[in-house]
Coordinates of all heavy atoms in Angstrom, one line a residue:
M130 N 141.3 102.3 89.5 CA 140.2 101.7 88.7 C 139.0 101.7 89.6 O 139.0 101.2 90.7 CB 140.6 100.3 88.3 CG 139.5 99.5 87.7 SD 140.0 97.8 87.1 CE 140.8 97.1 88.5
K131 N 137.9 102.1 89.0 CA 136.6 102.1 89.7 C 136.0 100.7 89.6 O 136.1 100.1 88.6 CB 135.7 103.1 89.0 CG 134.3 103.3 89.6 CD 133.5 104.3 88.9 CE 132.1 104.3 89.5 NZ 131.2 105.2 88.8
T132 N 135.5 100.3 90.7 CA 134.8 98.9 90.7 C 133.3 99.1 90.9 O 132.9 100.1 91.4 CB 135.4 98.0 91.8 OG1 135.2 98.6 93.1 CG2 136.9 97.8 91.6
E133 N 132.6 98.0 90.6 CA 131.2 98.0 90.8 C 130.8 96.7 91.4 O 131.4 95.7 91.2 CB 130.5 98.2 89.4 CG 129.0 98.4 89.5 CD 128.4 98.8 88.1 OE1 129.1 99.6 87.4 OE2 127.3 98.3 87.9
T134 N 129.8 96.7 92.2 CA 129.3 95.5 92.8 C 128.3 94.8 91.9 O 127.5 95.4 91.3 CB 128.5 95.8 94.1 OG1 129.4 96.5 95.0 CG2 128.0 94.6 94.8
L135 N 128.5 93.5 91.8 CA 127.7 92.6 91.0 C 126.8 91.8 91.8 O 127.3 91.1 92.8 CB 128.7 91.7 90.1 CG 128.0 90.7 89.2 CD1 127.3 91.5 88.1 CD2 129.1 89.8 88.6
Q136 N 125.6 91.7 91.5 CA 124.6 90.9 92.3 C 124.1 89.8 91.4 O 123.7 90.1 90.3 CB 123.5 91.8 92.8 CG 122.7 91.2 94.0 CD 121.8 92.2 94.6 OE1 121.3 93.1 94.0 NE2 121.6 92.1 95.9
L137 N 124.0 88.6 91.9 CA 123.7 87.5 91.1 C 122.8 86.5 91.9 O 123.1 86.3 93.1 CB 125.0 86.8 90.7 CG 125.0 85.4 90.1 CD1 124.4 85.5 88.7 CD2 126.4 84.8 90.1
K138 N 121.8 86.0 91.3 CA 120.9 85.0 92.0 C 121.5 83.6 91.6 O 121.8 83.3 90.5 CB 119.5 85.1 91.5 CG 118.8 86.3 92.0 CD 117.4 86.4 91.7 CE 116.7 87.6 92.2 NZ 115.3 87.6 92.1
Y139 N 121.6 82.8 92.6 CA 122.2 81.4 92.4 C 121.6 80.5 93.5 O 121.2 80.9 94.6 CB 123.7 81.5 92.5 CG 124.4 80.2 92.1 CD1 124.5 79.9 90.7 CD2 125.0 79.3 93.0 CE1 125.1 78.8 90.3 CE2 125.6 78.2 92.6 CZ 125.7 77.9 91.2 OH 126.3 76.7 90.8
D140 N 121.5 79.2 93.2 CA 121.0 78.2 94.0 C 121.7 78.3 95.4 O 122.9 78.1 95.5 CB 121.2 76.8 93.4 CG 120.6 75.7 94.3 OD1 121.3 75.3 95.2 OD2 119.4 75.4 94.0
A141 N 121.0 78.5 96.5 CA 121.5 78.7 97.8 C 122.3 77.5 98.3 O 123.3 77.6 98.9 CB 120.4 79.1 98.8
E142 N 121.7 76.3 98.1 CA 122.4 75.0 98.5 C 123.7 74.8 97.8 O 124.7 74.5 98.4 CB 121.4 73.9 98.3 CG 122.0 72.6 99.0 CD 121.0 71.4 98.9 OE1 119.8 71.7 98.6 OE2 121.4 70.3 99.2
K143 N 123.7 75.0 96.5 CA 125.0 74.9 95.8 C 126.0 75.9 96.2 O 127.2 75.6 96.4 CB 124.7 75.1 94.3 CG 124.1 73.9 93.6 CD 124.0 74.2 92.1 CE 123.2 73.1 91.4 NZ 123.1 73.4 89.9
L144 N 125.6 77.1 96.4 CA 126.5 78.2 96.9 C 127.1 77.9 98.2 O 128.3 78.0 98.5 CB 125.8 79.5 96.9 CG 126.7 80.7 97.2 CD1 127.9 80.9 96.3 CD2 125.8 82.0 97.2
S145 N 126.2 77.4 99.1 CA 126.7 77.1 100.5 C 127.7 75.9 100.4 O 128.8 76.0 101.1 CB 125.5 76.6 101.3 OG 125.9 76.2 102.6
T146 N 127.5 74.9 99.6 CA 128.4 73.8 99.4 C 129.7 74.3 98.8 O 130.8 73.9 99.2 CB 127.7 72.7 98.6 OG1 126.5 72.3 99.2 CG2 128.6 71.5 98.5
L147 N 129.6 75.1 97.8 CA 130.8 75.7 97.1 C 131.6 76.4 98.2 O 132.9 76.2 98.2 CB 130.4 76.6 96.0 CG 131.5 77.3 95.3 CD1 132.5 76.3 94.6 CD2 131.0 78.3 94.3
R148 N 131.0 77.2 99.0 CA 131.8 78.0 100.0 C 132.5 77.0 101.0 O 133.6 77.3 101.4 CB 130.9 78.9 100.7 CG 130.5 80.2 99.9 CD 129.7 81.1 100.7 NE 129.4 82.3 100.0 CZ 128.3 83.0 100.0 NH1 127.2 82.5 100.7 NH2 128.2 84.1 99.3
L149 N 131.8 76.0 101.4 CA 132.4 75.0 102.3 C 133.6 74.4 101.7 O 134.7 74.3 102.4 CB 131.3 73.9 102.6 CG 131.8 72.7 103.4 CD1 132.0 73.2 104.9 CD2 130.8 71.6 103.3
Y150 N 133.5 73.9 100.5 CA 134.7 73.3 99.9 C 135.8 74.2 99.5 O 137.0 73.9 99.6 CB 134.3 72.4 98.7 CG 133.6 71.1 99.1 CD1 132.3 71.0 99.2 CD2 134.4 70.0 99.4 CE1 131.7 69.8 99.6 CE2 133.9 68.8 99.8 CZ 132.5 68.7 99.9 OH 132.0 67.5 100.3
M151 N 135.4 75.5 99.2 CA 136.5 76.4 98.9 C 137.2 76.8 100.1 O 138.4 77.1 100.1 CB 135.9 77.7 98.2 CG 135.4 77.4 96.8 SD 134.9 78.9 95.9 CE 136.5 79.5 95.4
R152 N 136.5 76.9 101.3 CA 137.2 77.2 102.5 C 138.2 76.1 102.9 O 139.3 76.4 103.4 CB 136.2 77.3 103.7 CG 136.0 78.7 104.2 CD 135.0 78.8 105.3 NE 133.7 78.8 104.7 CZ 132.6 78.4 105.2 NH1 132.5 77.8 106.3 NH2 131.5 78.4 104.5
K153 N 137.8 74.8 102.6 CA 138.8 73.7 102.9 C 140.0 73.8 102.1 O 141.1 73.5 102.6 CB 138.1 72.4 102.5 CG 137.2 71.8 103.5 CD 136.7 70.5 103.1 CE 136.0 69.7 104.2 NZ 135.7 68.4 103.9
S154 N 139.9 74.3 100.8 CA 141.1 74.4 100.0 C 141.7 75.9 100.0 O 142.6 76.2 99.3 CB 140.8 74.1 98.5 OG 139.8 75.0 98.0
Q155 N 141.2 76.7 100.9 CA 141.6 78.1 101.1 C 141.6 78.9 99.8 O 142.4 79.7 99.6 CB 143.0 78.1 101.8 CG 143.0 77.5 103.1 CD 144.4 77.5 103.7 OE1 145.4 77.6 103.1 NE2 144.5 77.4 105.1
A156 N 140.5 78.6 99.1 CA 140.3 79.4 97.8 C 139.4 80.6 98.1 O 138.6 80.6 99.0 CB 139.7 78.5 96.8
D157 N 139.6 81.6 97.3 CA 138.8 82.9 97.4 C 137.7 82.9 96.4 O 138.0 83.0 95.2 CB 139.8 84.0 97.2 CG 139.1 85.4 97.3 OD1 138.2 85.6 98.1 OD2 139.6 86.3 96.5
L158 N 136.5 82.9 96.8 CA 135.4 82.9 95.9 C 135.3 84.1 95.1 O 135.1 84.1 93.9 CB 134.0 82.7 96.7 CG 132.8 82.7 95.8 CD1 132.8 81.6 94.8 CD2 131.5 82.6 96.7
D159 N 135.5 85.3 95.7 CA 135.4 86.6 95.0 C 136.5 86.6 93.9 O 136.3 87.0 92.8 CB 135.6 87.8 95.9 CG 134.3 88.0 96.8 OD1 133.3 87.4 96.5 OD2 134.4 88.8 97.7
G160 N 137.7 86.2 94.2 CA 138.8 86.2 93.3 C 138.6 85.2 92.1 O 138.8 85.6 91.0
E161 N 138.0 84.0 92.4 CA 137.7 83.1 91.4 C 136.6 83.6 90.4 O 136.7 83.4 89.2 CB 137.3 81.7 92.0 CG 138.4 81.0 92.7 CD 139.5 80.5 91.8 OE1 139.2 80.1 90.7 OE2 140.6 80.5 92.2
L162 N 135.6 84.3 91.0 CA 134.5 84.9 90.2 C 135.1 86.0 89.3 O 134.7 86.1 88.1 CB 133.4 85.4 91.1 CG 132.5 84.3 91.7 CD1 131.6 84.9 92.7 CD2 131.7 83.5 90.7
A163 N 136.0 86.8 89.8 CA 136.6 87.9 89.1 C 137.3 87.3 87.9 O 137.3 87.8 86.8 CB 137.5 88.7 89.9
K164 N 138.1 86.2 88.1 CA 138.8 85.5 87.0 C 137.8 85.0 85.9 O 138.1 85.2 84.7 CB 139.6 84.3 87.5 CG 140.8 84.7 88.3 CD 141.5 83.5 88.8 CE 142.6 83.8 89.8 NZ 143.2 82.5 90.4
C165 N 136.7 84.5 86.3 CA 135.7 84.0 85.4 C 135.2 85.2 84.5 O 135.0 85.0 83.3 CB 134.6 83.3 86.1 SG 135.0 81.7 86.8
I166 N 134.9 86.3 85.2 CA 134.4 87.5 84.5 C 135.4 88.0 83.5 O 135.1 88.4 82.4 CB 133.9 88.5 85.5 CG1 132.6 88.0 86.2 CG2 133.5 89.8 84.8 CD1 132.1 88.8 87.3
D167 N 136.7 88.0 83.9 CA 137.8 88.4 83.0 C 137.8 87.6 81.8 O 138.0 88.0 80.7 CB 139.1 88.4 83.8 CG 139.3 89.5 84.7 OD1 138.6 90.5 84.6 OD2 140.2 89.4 85.6
K168 N 137.6 86.2 82.0 CA 137.6 85.3 80.8 C 136.4 85.6 79.9 O 136.6 85.6 78.7 CB 137.6 83.9 81.3 CG 138.9 83.4 81.8 CD 138.8 82.0 82.3 CE 140.2 81.6 82.9 NZ 140.1 80.2 83.4
L169 N 135.3 86.0 80.5 CA 134.1 86.4 79.7 C 134.4 87.6 78.9 O 134.0 87.8 77.7 CB 132.9 86.6 80.6 CG 132.2 85.3 81.1 CD1 131.2 85.7 82.1 CD2 131.6 84.5 80.0
C170 N 135.1 88.6 79.5 CA 135.5 89.8 78.8 C 136.4 89.5 77.6 O 136.2 90.0 76.5 CB 136.2 90.8 79.8 SG 135.1 91.5 81.0
E171 N 137.4 88.6 77.9 CA 138.3 88.3 76.8 C 137.5 87.6 75.6 O 137.9 87.8 74.5 CB 139.4 87.3 77.3 CG 140.4 88.0 78.2 CD 141.4 87.0 78.8 OE1 141.5 85.9 78.2 OE2 142.1 87.4 79.7
R172 N 136.5 86.8 75.9 CA 135.8 86.1 74.9 C 134.8 87.0 74.1 O 134.6 86.8 72.9 CB 135.0 85.0 75.6 CG 134.3 84.0 74.6 CD 133.6 82.9 75.2 NE 134.3 82.3 76.3 CZ 133.7 81.7 77.3 NH1 132.4 81.6 77.4 NH2 134.4 81.1 78.3
H173 N 134.2 88.0 74.8 CA 133.2 88.8 74.2 C 133.5 90.2 73.8 O 132.9 90.8 72.9 CB 131.9 88.8 75.1 CG 131.3 87.4 75.3 ND1 130.5 86.8 74.4 CD2 131.4 86.5 76.3 CE1 130.2 85.6 74.8 NE2 130.7 85.4 76.0
I174 N 134.5 90.8 74.4 CA 134.9 92.2 74.1 C 136.0 92.1 73.0 O 137.0 91.4 73.2 CB 135.4 92.9 75.3 CG1 134.3 93.1 76.3 CG2 135.9 94.3 74.9 CD1 134.7 93.7 77.7
P175 N 135.8 92.8 71.9 CA 136.9 92.7 70.9 C 138.2 93.2 71.4 O 138.3 94.0 72.3 CB 136.4 93.8 69.8 CG 134.9 93.9 70.1 CD 134.7 93.6 71.5
K176 N 139.3 92.6 70.8 CA 140.6 92.8 71.3 C 141.0 94.3 71.3 O 141.6 94.8 72.2 CB 141.6 92.0 70.4 CG 143.0 92.1 70.9 CD 144.0 91.3 70.1 CE 145.4 91.5 70.6 NZ 146.3 90.7 69.8
D177 N 140.6 95.0 70.2 CA 141.0 96.5 70.2 C 140.4 97.3 71.3 O 140.9 98.2 71.8 CB 140.7 97.1 68.8 CG 139.3 96.9 68.3 OD1 138.6 96.0 68.8 OD2 138.9 97.7 67.5
V178 N 139.2 96.9 71.7 CA 138.5 97.6 72.8 C 139.2 97.2 74.1 O 139.4 98.1 75.0 CB 137.0 97.2 72.8 CG1 136.3 97.8 74.0 CG2 136.3 97.6 71.5
R179 N 139.6 96.0 74.3 CA 140.3 95.6 75.5 C 141.6 96.4 75.6 O 142.1 96.8 76.7 CB 140.5 94.1 75.6 CG 139.3 93.3 75.7 CD 139.6 91.8 76.1 NE 140.6 91.2 75.4 CZ 140.4 90.4 74.3 NH1 139.2 90.2 73.8 NH2 141.5 89.8 73.7
E180 N 142.3 96.6 74.5 CA 143.5 97.3 74.4 C 143.3 98.8 74.9 O 144.1 99.4 75.6 CB 144.2 97.2 73.1 CG 144.8 95.9 72.7 CD 145.2 95.7 71.3 OE1 145.0 96.7 70.5 OE2 145.8 94.7 71.0
L181 N 142.2 99.3 74.4 CA 141.8 100.7 74.8 C 141.6 100.8 76.3 O 142.1 101.7 77.0 CB 140.5 101.1 74.1 CG 140.0 102.5 74.5 CD1 141.0 103.6 74.1 CD2 138.6 102.7 73.8
F182 N 140.9 99.8 76.9 CA 140.8 99.8 78.4 C 142.1 99.7 79.1 O 142.4 100.4 80.1 CB 140.0 98.5 78.8 CG 138.5 98.6 78.5 CD1 137.8 97.4 78.3 CD2 137.8 99.8 78.4 CE1 136.5 97.4 78.0 CE2 136.5 99.8 78.1 CZ 135.8 98.6 77.9
E183 N 143.0 98.9 78.6 CA 144.3 98.8 79.2 C 145.1 100.1 79.1 O 145.8 100.5 80.0 CB 145.1 97.6 78.5 CG 146.4 97.3 79.2 CD 146.3 96.9 80.7 OE1 145.3 96.3 81.0 OE2 147.2 97.3 81.4
M184 N 145.0 100.8 77.9 CA 145.7 102.0 77.8 C 145.2 103.1 78.7 O 145.9 103.8 79.4 CB 145.6 102.6 76.3 CG 146.4 101.8 75.3 SD 146.3 102.3 73.6 CE 145.3 103.7 73.5
R185 N 143.9 103.1 78.9 CA 143.2 104.0 79.9 C 143.7 103.7 81.3 O 144.0 104.6 82.1 CB 141.7 104.0 79.8 CG 141.2 104.7 78.6 CD 139.7 104.6 78.6 NE 139.1 105.2 77.5 CZ 137.8 105.1 77.1 NH1 137.0 104.3 77.8 NH2 137.4 105.6 76.0
R186 N 143.7 102.4 81.6 CA 144.1 102.0 83.0 C 145.6 102.4 83.3 O 145.9 103.0 84.3 CB 144.0 100.5 83.1 CG 144.3 100.0 84.5 CD 144.1 98.5 84.7 NE 142.7 98.2 84.4 CZ 142.3 97.3 83.5 NH1 143.2 96.6 82.9 NH2 141.0 97.0 83.3
Q187 N 146.5 102.3 82.3 CA 147.9 102.6 82.4 C 148.0 104.2 82.6 O 148.8 104.7 83.3 CB 148.7 102.1 81.3 CG 148.9 100.6 81.3 CD 149.6 100.1 80.1 OE1 149.9 100.9 79.2 NE2 149.9 98.8 80.1
E188 N 147.2 104.9 81.8 CA 147.2 106.3 81.8 C 146.8 106.9 83.2 O 147.4 107.7 83.8 CB 146.3 106.9 80.7 CG 146.3 108.4 80.7 CD 145.4 108.9 79.6 OE1 145.7 108.7 78.4 OE2 144.3 109.5 80.0
Q189 N 145.7 106.3 83.7 CA 145.2 106.7 85.0 C 146.2 106.3 86.1 O 146.4 107.1 87.1 CB 143.9 106.0 85.3 CG 142.8 106.6 84.5 CD 141.5 105.9 84.7 OE1 141.4 104.8 85.3 NE2 140.4 106.4 84.1
A190 N 146.9 105.2 86.0 CA 147.9 104.8 87.0 C 149.1 105.8 87.0 O 149.7 106.0 88.0 CB 148.4 103.4 86.7
G191 N 149.4 106.4 85.9 CA 150.5 107.3 85.8 C 150.2 108.8 86.2 O 151.1 109.6 86.4
R192 N 148.9 109.1 86.4 CA 148.5 110.4 86.7 C 148.7 110.6 88.2 O 148.5 109.7 89.0 CB 147.0 110.6 86.5 CG 146.7 110.7 85.0 CD 145.2 111.1 84.9 NE 144.8 111.0 83.5 CZ 143.6 111.0 83.1 NH1 142.6 111.0 83.9 NH2 143.3 111.0 81.8
P193 N 149.1 111.8 88.6 CA 149.2 112.1 90.1 C 147.8 112.2 90.6 O 146.9 112.6 89.9 CB 149.9 113.5 90.1 CG 149.8 114.1 88.8 CD 149.6 112.9 87.8
P194 N 147.6 111.9 91.9 CA 146.3 112.0 92.5 C 145.8 113.4 92.5 O 146.6 114.4 92.6 CB 146.5 111.5 93.9 CG 147.9 111.5 94.2 CD 148.6 111.5 92.8
R195 N 144.5 113.6 92.4 CA 143.9 115.0 92.5 C 144.1 115.6 93.9 O 144.0 114.9 94.8 CB 142.4 114.9 92.2 CG 142.1 114.7 90.8 CD 140.6 114.8 90.6 NE 140.2 114.8 89.3 CZ 138.9 114.8 88.9 NH1 137.9 114.9 89.7 NH2 138.6 114.9 87.6
P196 N 144.4 116.9 93.9 CA 144.5 117.5 95.3 C 143.1 117.5 95.9 O 142.1 117.6 95.2 CB 145.0 118.9 95.0 CG 144.7 119.1 93.5 CD 144.7 117.8 92.9
P197 N 143.0 117.4 97.2 CA 141.7 117.5 97.8 C 141.0 118.9 97.6 O 141.7 119.9 97.5 CB 141.9 117.3 99.3 CG 143.4 117.5 99.5 CD 144.1 117.3 98.1
R198 N 139.7 118.9 97.5 CA 139.0 120.1 97.4 C 139.1 120.9 98.6 O 139.0 120.4 99.7 CB 137.5 119.9 97.1 CG 137.2 119.3 95.7 CD 135.7 119.2 95.6 NE 135.4 118.9 94.2 CZ 134.1 118.7 93.8 NH1 133.1 118.7 94.7 NH2 133.9 118.5 92.5
S199 N 139.2 122.3 98.5 CA 139.2 123.1 99.6 C 137.7 123.4 100.0 O 136.9 123.6 99.2 CB 139.9 124.4 99.4 OG 139.3 125.1 98.3
R200 N 137.5 123.4 101.3 CA 136.1 123.6 101.8 C 136.0 125.0 102.4 O 137.0 125.5 103.0 CB 135.8 122.6 102.9 CG 135.7 121.2 102.3 CD 135.3 120.2 103.4 NE 135.2 118.9 102.8 CZ 134.5 117.9 103.3 NH1 133.8 118.1 104.3 NH2 134.5 116.7 102.7
P201 N 134.9 125.7 102.2 CA 134.8 127.0 102.8 C 134.8 126.9 104.3 O 134.4 126.0 104.9 CB 133.4 127.5 102.3 CG 132.7 126.3 101.8 CD 133.7 125.3 101.5
T202 N 135.5 127.9 104.9 CA 135.6 127.9 106.3 C 134.4 128.6 106.9 O 133.8 129.5 106.4 CB 136.9 128.6 106.8 OG1 136.8 130.0 106.3 CG2 138.1 127.9 106.3
V203 N 134.0 128.1 108.1 CA 132.9 128.7 108.9 C 133.5 129.7 109.8 O 134.4 129.4 110.5 CB 132.2 127.6 109.7 CG1 131.0 128.2 110.5 CG2 131.6 126.5 108.7
P204 N 132.9 130.9 109.8 CA 133.5 132.0 110.6 C 133.3 131.6 112.1 O 132.3 131.1 112.5 CB 132.6 133.2 110.2 CG 131.4 132.7 109.6 CD 131.8 131.4 109.0
Q205 N 134.3 132.0 112.9 CA 134.3 131.8 114.3 C 133.4 132.7 115.0 O 132.7 132.4 115.9 CB 135.7 131.9 114.9 CG 136.7 130.9 114.4 CD 136.3 129.5 114.8 OE1 135.8 129.2 115.9 NE2 136.5 128.5 113.9
N206 N 133.3 134.0 114.5 CA 132.5 135.0 115.0 C 131.2 135.1 114.2 O 131.3 135.5 113.0 CB 133.2 136.3 115.1 CG 132.4 137.5 115.7 OD1 131.3 137.3 116.1 ND2 133.0 138.6 115.7
P207 N 130.0 134.8 114.8 CA 128.8 134.8 113.9 C 128.5 136.2 113.3 O 127.9 136.2 112.3 CB 127.7 134.4 114.9 CG 128.3 134.1 116.2 CD 129.8 134.4 116.1
G208 N 128.9 137.3 113.9 CA 128.7 138.6 113.4 C 129.7 139.0 112.3 O 129.5 140.1 111.7
E209 N 130.6 138.2 112.0 CA 131.7 138.5 111.1 C 131.2 138.8 109.7 O 131.7 139.6 108.9 CB 132.7 137.4 111.1 CG 134.0 137.7 110.3 CD 135.0 136.6 110.4 OE1 135.0 135.8 111.4 OE2 135.7 136.4 109.4
Y210 N 130.2 138.1 109.2 CA 129.6 138.3 107.9 C 128.3 139.0 107.9 O 127.4 138.7 107.0 CB 129.5 136.9 107.2 CG 130.8 136.3 106.9 CD1 131.5 135.5 107.7 CD2 131.5 136.6 105.7 CE1 132.7 135.0 107.5 CE2 132.7 136.1 105.3 CZ 133.3 135.3 106.2 OH 134.6 134.7 105.9
G211 N 128.1 139.9 108.8 CA 126.8 140.7 108.8 C 125.7 140.0 109.5 O 124.6 140.4 109.4
G212 N 126.0 138.9 110.1 CA 124.9 138.2 110.9 C 124.6 138.9 112.2 O 125.4 139.8 112.6
Q213 N 123.5 138.6 112.8 CA 123.2 139.3 114.0 C 124.0 138.7 115.2 O 124.2 137.6 115.3 CB 121.7 139.1 114.3 CG 120.8 139.7 113.3 CD 119.3 139.5 113.6 OE1 119.0 138.7 114.5 NE2 118.5 140.3 112.9
Q214 N 124.4 139.6 116.1 CA 125.1 139.2 117.3 C 124.1 138.9 118.3 O 123.1 139.5 118.4 CB 126.0 140.4 117.7 CG 127.0 140.7 116.7 CD 128.4 140.6 117.2 OE1 128.6 140.4 118.4 NE2 129.4 140.6 116.4
E215 N 124.4 137.9 119.2 CA 123.5 137.6 120.3 C 123.7 138.4 121.5 O 124.7 138.9 121.8 CB 123.7 136.1 120.6 CG 123.3 135.2 119.5 CD 123.5 133.7 119.8 OE1 123.7 133.4 120.9 OE2 123.4 132.9 118.9

């Protein structure tokens, strides 16, 4: 699954305090924010569209990984392809 970075402006003092208290309880801020965004998706994205996302995710999980692209090789001898010899 491809991910994207989300950037958000928020009150610096509140965020600093939140991080402090989350560290005390060993909570993960990124994980908690992801859960909140998932709940927003459930609330605002129609169920049939969410099901489509899930079907795509399962389909991609079942696909074998793409083979790496082959890269052209650089000749060892510069004159090999009609270049000038030194």
Side-chain angles (χ1 to χ4, degrees):
M130 168 178 54
K131 182 179 174 185
T132 61
E133 191 169 321
T134 301
L135 178 68
Q136 196 169 33
L137 169 72
K138 290 185 179 188
Y139 191 73
D140 182 276
E142 188 173 345
K143 284 183 183 179
L144 183 58
S145 175
T146 305
L147 176 62
R148 285 183 174 141
L149 174 73
Y150 281 95
M151 288 186 83
R152 252 181 276 149
K153 280 185 165 185
S154 63
Q155 297 179 338
D157 175 38
L158 179 59
D159 289 347
E161 294 291 325
L162 288 171
K164 287 178 191 176
C165 290
I166 293 172
D167 285 342
K168 287 181 183 178
L169 286 171
C170 289
E171 288 177 15
R172 189 179 315 153
H173 295 283
I174 297 175
K176 185 178 180 179
D177 55 337
V178 176
R179 292 194 317 264
E180 288 172 354
L181 176 65
F182 289 153
E183 187 59 32
M184 287 180 2
R185 284 184 183 165
R186 185 176 300 125
Q187 288 174 357
E188 181 181 292
Q189 289 175 350
R192 288 185 185 165
R195 285 184 170 180
R198 287 183 170 177
S199 60
R200 295 183 181 204
T202 57
V203 177
Q205 296 295 323
N206 182 358
E209 186 175 333
Y210 289 91
Q213 294 181 347
Q214 299 239 350
E215 294 178 12

